[in-house]
Each structure stands twice: as structure tokens, then as C-alpha cells.
């Protein structure tokens, strides 16, 4: 028995020190038992429960679709009912009361209530959201808050120990443990910019927006999604990296949104055949498939066939990673990319430019209040880039339905439910009568999908 206890203590003693500069955490308590309680007591006051009240359409009773029935009984055109949901959040600035959470936790919320571990409750103000990364920032006015320090998620390694803290199923604050199972997960079609941390720490509905922390007590991810046949935990959970969440938060606090620009590129992942053709001996990086003439990338010297292997000193493993990092770089900022061109390495500096679209008064779309669009003119560079027409979002009223759905000025709409739309008439026709639909759009250099109902 003593030998078994010694093995556990030895295991935890080695596991609880991560990195050369980590502060060791006591591996045993006064009883001589292995425990993570000191770490949990330190970080859990910064993790909050978020209760939201939303309005959702009622059951689609055929009578509600009858205009005569609605007029006779004085019913509004669209029947809605209030619904309550619960999620999680993380205090990251105690002085200003900023709380990080997921966009899908507070989407369509009429009211959000933040409950602290000490059971104090506060009405939260929505500072801003970014549907593309599923990050939102709330603010509460409260004293004596505890905030989590944001760690460097780029230093994570597969196998690092982590804790997931949140409010699963609304039952109250819960702590689970596990390891980092994978890094840079993408292609899950969960969000527009995917660079997820995968963990086997138990994450369930209600954990969304909660904290993924390392054993230093640093926030290294915002728990976001799970994969499971019944929507429950099966050991595969995902978190938005802390570095991504911090970059999004900084722009939201400054601008109320994330303002994404463009370089004028289209990218592809490396395959063994493509690497051999390009004369490179690695499969890490992103290939420049298209460099648009006259774009910032073209002016900086990027060429088709270049393989970007690093950006601002950080290695790039694939298209999703480069896409996510470019998507979080503020307009006007310069980036340095390390490029492999035919086996020769070079550094190229390029500046992120505003979206190459014109804005103006535009045409209102009745099905999306607050949205105005301009049709792309035949023969324009944008028409050629899209290989056809589309619609430029010329204006979006803040706090309107369109704004809350995620549309932003400069977005280029080209499809509804995967069917191409090139004019305002086609766009309205595609939206008319649909119960739910997906809108395909181009923002900067990247394609996004906005889901609506």
C-alpha cells in the first residue's frame, strides 16, 4: 500500500510541474493524499455560470401560418416564446469586469445573468461577439472579482495535463481533468476559424464558455464543443485556444467587433504529390494557390506555389492555422511570413489591407432587418474574383437581427443553402419561406457560413 501511494505521489509530483519555469504545486495535502484542491481553489472563483433568456419561434403549428387566423386572434406574424439556457464564462479582467464566453451561449439573448462562485449575481452587458471564432465578451460591474491569467496556448503540447471547469447541464460548477489530446484541430465545421485544442477532459452541454486551464492555473482555452452521438461527453472535447480568444477580445473591447482585412490570397494544404512538385521536403505549411494581382500579397512579393511555413515567428502547420492567424490580425498591421519557394527560404513582409469592397446606401433585405446590400457589378475585379455575381453588405445596423446573426459591412454574400445567389432579388427569394438556412459569404480572404432560423 505504501509503495502504491509512493507511485501516485511520484506521478503527480512530475505531472504538476509543466515547463522549466513552472511553479510546483503541492502534490499532497495534510492527510498525505494526492490532490489538485489547491489549484482548484485558486482558479474556480474566476469561472462563472451564465444564465440567458432568449426568444425562440414557437412550434410551427399550421394555424400560425394562416394570415386570417393570426388577424382574427390578434397574433403577431411570428410566434415566439421565451426560453432559458445555461452556460459558462471566465473572468479575465477583475478591474473592468470582463468575462469571456462563447458566442453561441449568449446568441439571441434578451438578458444574461452572471452568477459567481460566491453566489453573487449580476446583469451582464454584452460588449461584443465574433461568430467566426464563437467568442463573446460580457462585462459586469462588481467588486472583489477573481480573474484568470491568460496563458500562452502556443506553448501547449499534446500530453499536457489540463482541467475543464464549467456548468455542465446547469447543475453547478464542475471540475474535470484530462490531457491535451491534439492541437490545431479543424475541418469540424463548428466555427468559421477553426484551430481547436482537443482534450479528453469531460466536457458536456453547459460547459460551453468555461475554462480550460493548465496546471499553473493559467487559462489556455475556452471550452466550446463536443463530439458525441447523444450530445454528451465521449472523451472528445474542443476549446478555442487562449491566444485566439485574447486577440478576439482585444478587438471587441476596442471596436465592438473583430475587423478582418485581406491579403488577396487563396490557400491549399500540402500533399506529398504537391510537395514533390514544388520542391519542398515538408508537409507543414500552407501553399499559395492564388495570389490576386495588385493585392497586398502580390505587392509584398508572394507568388503562387510559395509555401508559408511560419508567421511572425510562429510555425504554420496547415491552411486552417494560417487562416486563423491572419483572420485575427488587425487591419493595417504588418505580418512577416517565412516562405519556402522551391526549397529556398525567404522572409516576406505584407500589410493587412481593408476589404476590397465599396460601400454605400444599398438595398434593404426585409427578411434580415438591419442589413443593406449592393449588387456586384459585372466586369468588376470582385465579379471576376467570384467568377460571377454576388452581394456586398454595405451596412448593418448594430444590435439588429442581421448584426446579431453575425453579418458585418464588407461581407460578400454568394450563396444561400449552398445555392448561388447573384442579385438582391435572388437573395430575397432564397430567404422567403425558409424555416432555417445557411448563408455562404466571403470575409476578407476567407469563406464563412452563417446559420439562421
Amino acid at each position: 500500500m505504501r509503495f502504491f501511494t509512493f507511485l501516485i505521489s511520484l506521478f503527480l509530483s512530475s505531472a504538476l510541474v509543466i515547463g522549466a519555469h513552472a511553479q510546483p504545486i503541492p502534490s499532497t495535502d495534510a492527510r498525505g493524499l494526492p490532490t489538485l484542491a489547491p489549484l482548484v481553489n485558486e482558479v474556480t472563483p474566476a469561472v462563472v455560470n451564465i444564465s440567458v433568456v432568449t426568444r425562440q419561434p414557437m412550434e410551427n403549428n399550421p394555424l400560425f401560418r394562416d394570415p386570417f387566423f393570426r388577424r382574427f386572434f390578434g397574433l403577431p406574424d411570428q410566434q415566439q416564446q421565451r426560453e432559458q439556457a445555461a452556460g459558462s464564462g471566465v473572468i479575465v479582467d477583475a478591474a473592468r469586469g470582463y468575462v469571456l464566453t462563447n458566442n453561441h451561449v449568449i446568441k439571441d439573448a434578451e438578458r444574461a445573468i452572471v452568477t459567481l462562485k460566491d453566489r453573487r449575481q449580476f446583469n451582464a452587458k454584452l460588449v461584443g461577439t465574433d461568430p467566426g471564432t464563437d467568442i463573446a465578451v460580457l462585462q459586469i460591474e462588481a467588486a472583489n472579482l477573481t480573474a484568470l491569467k491568460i496563458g500562452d496556448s502556443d506553448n501547449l503540447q499534446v500530453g499536457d495535463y489540463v482541467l475543464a471547469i464549467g456548468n455542465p447541464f446547469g447543475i453547478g460548477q464542475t471540475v474535470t481533468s484530462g490531457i491535451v489530446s491534439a492541437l490545431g484541430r479543424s475541418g469540424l465545421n463548428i466555427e468559421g476559424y477553426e484551430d481547436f485544442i482537443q482534450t479528453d477532459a469531460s466536457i458536456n452541454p453547459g460547459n460551453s464558455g468555461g475554462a480550460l486551464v493548465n496546471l499553473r492555473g493559467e487559462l489556455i482555452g475556452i471550452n466550446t464543443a463536443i463530439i458525441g452521438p447523444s450530445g454528451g461527453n465521449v472523451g472528445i472535447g474542443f476549446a478555442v485556444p487562449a491566444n485566439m480568444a485574447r486577440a478576439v477580445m482585444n478587438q471587441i473591447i476596442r471596436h465592438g467587433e473583430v475587423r478582418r482585412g485581406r491579403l488577396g490570397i487563396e490557400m491549399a494544404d500540402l500533399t506529398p504529390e504537391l510537395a514533390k512538385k514544388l520542391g519542398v521536403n515538408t508537409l507543414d505549411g500552407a501553399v499559395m494557390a492564388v495570389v490576386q494581382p495588385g493585392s497586398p500579397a502580390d505587392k509584398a512579393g508572394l507568388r503562387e506555389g510559395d509555401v508559408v511555413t511560419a508567421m511572425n515567428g510562429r510555425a504554420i502547420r496547415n491552411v486552417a492555422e494560417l487562416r486563423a492567424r491572419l483572420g485575427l490580425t488587425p487591419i493595417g498591421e504588418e505580418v512577416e511570413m517565412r516562405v519556402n519557394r522551391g526549397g529556398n527560404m525567404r522572409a516576406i513582409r505584407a500589410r493587412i489591407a481593408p476589404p476590397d469592397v465599396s460601400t454605400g446606401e444599398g438595398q434593404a433585405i426585409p427578411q434580415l432587418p438591419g442589413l443593406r446590400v449592393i449588387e456586384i457589378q459585372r466586369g468588376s475585379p470582385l465579379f471576376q474574383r467570384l467568377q460571377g455575381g454576388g452581394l456586398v453588405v454595405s451596412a448593418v445596423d448594430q444590435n439588429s437581427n442581421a448584426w446579431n446573426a453575425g453579418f458585418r459591412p464588407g461581407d460578400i454574400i454568394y450563396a444561400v443553402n449552398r445555392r448561388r445567389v447573384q442579385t438582391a432579388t435572388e437573395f430575397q427569394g432564397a430567404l422567403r419561406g425558409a424555416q432555417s438556412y445557411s448563408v455562404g459569404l466571403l470575409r476578407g480572404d476567407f469563406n464563412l457560413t452563417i446559420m439562421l432560423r
Side-chain angles (χ1 to χ4, degrees):
M1 182 67 180
R2 289 181 179 178
F3 178 70
F4 178 73
T5 303
F6 169 77
L7 285 179
I8 294 177
S9 299
L10 181 63
F11 169 76
L12 286 175
S13 296
S14 61
L16 293 176
V17 180
I18 300 179
H21 304 292
Q23 296 297 317
I25 299 171
S27 60
T28 57
D29 62 10
R31 302 163 296 175
L33 297 176
T35 181
L36 291 174
L39 172 63
V40 171
N41 290 333
E42 177 185 341
V43 301
T44 51
V47 182
V48 303
N49 294 345
I50 299 176
S51 176
V52 299
V53 178
T54 64
R55 280 187 178 272
Q56 299 291 345
M58 293 180 65
E59 293 283 338
N60 190 20
N61 191 310
L63 288 175
F64 293 153
R65 296 197 299 264
D66 187 328
F68 175 80
F69 180 86
R70 293 200 304 267
R71 287 197 302 271
F72 185 82
F73 287 99
L75 297 175
D77 286 342
Q78 186 175 16
Q79 291 293 294
Q80 293 185 327
Q81 60 185 353
R82 281 188 171 87
E83 292 186 355
Q84 286 189 314
S88 308
V90 187
I91 301 171
V92 291
D93 188 324
R96 294 186 288 178
Y98 287 128
V99 178
L100 274 176
T101 186
N102 284 144
N103 173 65
H104 76 260
V105 169
I106 54 82
K107 185 179 180 182
D108 301 324
E110 289 186 334
R111 184 184 179 198
I113 301 171
V114 169
T115 303
L116 308 185
K117 187 181 179 182
D118 62 14
R119 299 186 181 180
R120 287 185 291 163
Q121 290 188 336
F122 302 92
N123 287 320
K125 169 190 172 185
L126 179 61
V127 180
T129 68
D130 182 49
T133 55
D134 198 20
I135 291 295
V137 180
L138 302 175
Q139 187 174 27
I140 58 175
E141 294 184 6
N144 301 319
L145 294 176
T146 299
L148 274 187
K149 178 183 177 182
I150 301 179
D152 185 355
S153 55
D154 284 343
N155 287 335
L156 280 176
Q157 298 181 52
V158 174
D160 284 351
Y161 287 91
V162 291
L163 300 179
I165 309 168
N167 179 28
F169 300 106
I171 63 174
Q173 192 175 86
T174 303
V175 181
T176 57
S177 65
I179 63 170
V180 173
S181 304
L183 296 168
R185 286 298 195 207
S186 61
L188 306 175
N189 297 318
I190 299 172
E191 307 304 337
Y193 296 86
E194 297 184 358
D195 187 23
F196 292 116
I197 301 165
Q198 182 182 329
T199 178
D200 66 346
S202 296
I203 296 175
N204 287 288
N207 273 111
S208 292
L212 190 70
V213 302
N214 61 21
L215 296 191
R216 291 177 183 158
E218 298 170 332
L219 179 71
I220 47 88
I222 298 294
N223 299 325
T224 295
I226 55 178
I227 287 181
S230 60
N233 171 67
V234 292
I236 302 178
F238 300 95
V240 176
N243 287 0
M244 176 182 286
R246 174 167 41 197
V248 169
M249 178 183 69
N250 289 340
Q251 287 212 46
I252 286 176
I253 291 172
R254 183 176 180 183
H255 305 296
E257 61 177 324
V258 176
R259 297 179 176 176
R260 292 184 170 90
R262 62 181 291 268
L263 279 180
I265 57 175
E266 296 178 20
M267 301 173 287
D269 281 319
L270 274 171
T271 63
E273 295 78 11
L274 186 56
K276 182 178 180 180
K277 180 180 179 180
L278 296 174
V280 298
N281 58 0
T282 179
L283 293 181
D284 287 340
V287 182
M288 299 297 100
V290 175
V291 177
Q292 296 158 12
S295 67
D298 183 34
K299 294 175 182 177
L302 277 174
R303 298 292 177 261
E304 293 181 8
D306 285 350
V307 180
V308 177
T309 59
M311 175 179 148
N312 292 340
R314 300 279 191 178
I316 295 295
R317 290 166 290 190
N318 50 44
V319 165
E321 196 165 72
L322 179 58
R323 179 176 183 262
R325 294 187 179 179
L326 285 174
L328 295 176
T329 304
I331 294 172
E333 188 170 306
E334 192 174 63
V335 297
E336 182 181 77
M337 290 178 284
R338 189 154 180 80
V339 172
N340 187 328
R341 183 177 294 170
N344 298 316
M345 302 301 298
R346 63 189 67 201
I348 292 179
R349 302 184 71 87
R351 192 173 300 278
I352 304 296
D356 187 20
V357 296
S358 59
T359 58
E361 183 64 21
Q363 178 177 340
I365 303 298
Q367 294 92 337
L368 286 171
L371 184 76
R372 304 188 74 87
V373 298
I374 296 175
E375 295 181 4
I376 297 172
Q377 297 301 309
R378 182 178 296 274
S380 67
L382 193 51
F383 189 96
Q384 296 173 4
R385 178 184 175 191
L386 291 173
Q387 297 181 340
L391 304 160
V392 177
V393 176
S394 59
V396 187
D397 296 337
Q398 289 203 21
N399 298 320
S400 65
N401 291 351
W403 179 275
N404 293 333
F407 292 95
R408 294 296 181 264
D411 288 348
I412 302 168
I413 297 169
Y414 61 84
V416 174
N417 290 337
R418 300 185 179 180
R419 184 170 296 178
R420 189 67 180 266
V421 293
Q422 303 191 55
T423 66
T425 300
E426 290 179 356
F427 186 39
Q428 292 182 60
L431 299 179
R432 191 174 294 119
Q435 297 299 316
S436 63
Y437 39 84
S438 62
V439 178
L441 57 86
L442 188 68
R443 181 174 295 167
D445 291 321
F446 308 114
N447 291 291
L448 294 176
T449 300
I450 291 180
M451 304 300 298
L452 300 169
R453 63 174 182 175

